[in-house]
Amino acid sequence: DNHIFKWVDEAFSDEIQQLDYQVQMLEEEVQVLKATITSGLKIMKGGCLILGLGVVVVVGILMYK
């Protein structure tokens, strides 16, 4: 968004809403990854754990760029 012509409190409110949305999306992804890792550990203990942790790191990096 272009915050040049907005009041400071309105711009901050917009930023907080966007960050809140991003946090919610990350929380949902973490829950899915936890479920995937848990079920994956039952099938393949080592490989799925490393893959799951790698995905978490990559998603985290991509979301905050």
Side-chain angles (χ1 to χ4, degrees):
D1 290 355
N2 189 355
H3 294 302
I4 294 173
F5 300 107
K6 289 186 177 182
W7 292 102
V8 173
D9 59 342
E10 185 180 350
F12 282 154
S13 177
D14 291 347
E15 290 295 323
I16 290 170
Q17 287 176 350
Q18 289 177 354
L19 289 173
D20 187 42
Y21 176 76
Q22 288 177 348
V23 167
Q24 289 176 357
M25 294 295 106
L26 284 173
E27 287 174 346
E28 289 177 11
E29 287 182 39
V30 167
Q31 293 300 322
V32 169
L33 288 172
K34 280 183 181 179
T36 302
I37 290 171
T38 302
S39 64
L41 285 175
K42 293 176 184 174
I43 299 169
M44 298 176 66
K45 292 185 180 179
C48 284
L49 179 60
I50 293 171
L51 177 63
L53 291 175
V55 170
V56 170
V57 170
V58 170
V59 168
I61 291 170
L62 291 175
M63 290 297 292
Y64 285 104
K65 280 194 172 190

